[in-house]
Amino acid sequence: MSILKIAKIGHPVLFKEADTVNSISKAEIKKLVMDMSETLLDANGIGLAAPQVYVSKKIIIFRLDEESQINNKVKIRVLVNPSFKNKGKEYEEDWEGCLSIPGMIGKVKRFKNIIYQGYDLKGRLIKEDASGIQARVIQHECDHLNGILYTSKLVDPKYFGFADEIRNSIKNEKE
Ligand code: ZN
């Protein structure tokens, strides 16, 4: 396994629609997913999409929330050709970051509850519900596959900036 270089905002690979994966069992895809997992853990991220490591294919990975973890081990879910639908009509606005936009965060409106689906590495269909942060991560990663970064979805342009500045100002407002 190896740690891959992460594409940063400005690189065209992040603004392109990714290709659908036709054969899931390919050794090449398995290796890519292993490397993406190692890269995600190394960067201390929650989710990663293949275009972020310069591979324009419809593959995302993300950490499953704590309830889904076994023996405190981080569980990473792989989804090939993923998609999602909103479940209910609730939205949530919250801050999010992206490994391709290091040090910065922005406030984005997302569906609160979703049903997502995709294929695992054995080609089995996964179909599950997600809500809150987990739903947010999946929506964020699926956007990457369509060449969309969260910076184009900000609830307000002023709700974007360096994480330390924003955290400081939120703290000062509360005091
Ligand atoms: Zn991202």
Side-chain angles (χ1 to χ4, degrees), residues 47 52 97-100 140-141 144 149-150:
Q52 291 183 278
C98 178
L99 293 175
S100 295
H140 175 117
E141 300 312 328
H144 274 299
L149 298 177
Y150 77 78

Side-chain angles (χ1 to χ4, degrees), residues 9-49:
I9 186 167
H11 194 284
V13 73
L14 295 173
F15 298 109
K16 201 170 120 180
E17 192 187 338
D19 296 326
T20 301
V21 177
N22 296 316
S23 86
I24 289 169
S25 58
K26 257 199 218 157
E28 182 200 326
I29 300 291
K30 273 190 192 136
K31 182 171 186 320
L32 170 66
V33 166
M34 298 298 275
D35 289 346
M36 280 173 67
S37 303
E38 202 183 355
T39 307
L40 178 72
L41 295 175
D42 176 69
N44 212 9
I46 340 178
L48 188 68

